[in-house]
Amino acid sequence: MHVKVYLAGPEVFLPNAVEIQREKAALARAAGFTPLVPGDLEIPPAATKHERGLAIYAVDEGMMMACDMIIANLTPFRGISADVGTVFELGFMCGRGKHAYAYTNTSRSYYERILNDHYMGEAALRADGRMAGPDGISIEDFDMADNLMLDGGVLRRDGTLVQREVPEAARLTDLEAFKECLAIAARQHLG
């Protein structure tokens, strides 16, 4: 039985993207999965940057359509939350009813990151009892790794969201949480 897994994450933007994606794919194969990784396939030539972007999307969507499950890297990227493309891919797969697993290389909750990294600790209770930043916008506080839709999507599909604390310098390259997530998925789907 070949279980195809889509490996989503912001690794495609890193200077060593090819090496990290190859390592993740090798780990997935060693665990018994058939990995499909964005950046693996040849992108058809395009006349403009816009057309190239659409071609990349089409290839990635085709890979997702061919997969049985997703493992998404939800480590905060360029801000306090996961990479927006990875979030889309996770939602796409959840919407298709596929198995979903995720990991993040921070143990700090979404609430902590909003409060401390975005609002720099400046928040107060609103009249309705919700914590809010100085702009009056409430701060999501559900003791989750990221936005409730991400945690919820993974957990409602009997998946797992692994959280580890990794030093900042290795936050986007450390694969220990990925390995843990991969092992859990393998036990549940490969027996």
Side-chain angles (χ1 to χ4, degrees):
M1 177 173 134
H2 295 283
V3 177
K4 292 181 184 173
V5 60
Y6 186 80
L7 303 179
E11 292 85 1
V12 297
F13 299 108
L14 299 178
N16 58 343
V18 172
E19 294 82 15
I20 289 181
Q21 290 178 304
R22 280 189 186 143
E23 185 175 354
K24 287 177 76 173
L27 290 164
R29 275 191 292 282
F33 292 107
T34 300
L36 288 150
V37 184
D40 260 0
L41 301 177
E42 191 66 31
I43 305 298
T48 67
K49 289 190 287 186
H50 182 80
E51 288 175 4
R52 179 155 172 79
L54 293 175
I56 291 168
Y57 173 83
V59 167
D60 289 352
E61 182 180 287
M63 285 193 288
M64 287 188 289
M65 296 290 281
C67 282
D68 305 296
M69 65 188 309
I70 184 171
I71 296 178
N73 178 355
L74 298 181
T75 301
F77 182 71
R78 295 181 178 157
I80 61 166
S81 194
D83 166 57
V84 68
T86 303
V87 169
F88 173 85
E89 292 164 330
L90 178 59
F92 184 92
M93 294 295 277
C94 287
R96 295 195 39 140
K98 300 298 181 176
H99 300 289
Y101 294 83
Y103 66 96
T104 178
N105 284 332
T106 183
S107 61
R108 295 173 61 227
S109 72
Y110 188 49
Y111 173 80
E112 290 175 275
R113 296 191 314 269
I114 295 170
L115 178 64
N116 297 312
D117 299 351
H118 182 71
Y119 288 123
M120 304 304 179
E122 292 184 35
L125 283 178
R126 291 191 319 205
D128 65 3
R130 295 179 73 183
M131 188 66 81
D135 54 11
I137 299 173
S138 69
I139 302 172
E140 183 176 313
D141 185 9
F142 296 104
D143 198 24
M144 294 189 178
D146 211 297
N147 179 277
L148 69 91
M149 298 303 285
L150 305 182
D151 288 55
V154 170
L155 299 176
R156 295 259 311 159
R157 275 147 198 84
D158 297 323
T160 300
L161 201 160
V162 173
Q163 285 184 265
R164 295 177 73 94
E165 190 57 42
V166 173
E168 185 66 36
R171 188 137 303 145
L172 293 172
T173 56
D174 186 283
L175 295 178
E176 292 307 308
F178 171 71
K179 291 175 188 176
E180 185 178 342
C181 194
L182 191 60
I184 293 166
R187 282 193 302 274
Q188 291 180 339
H189 297 282
L190 302 175

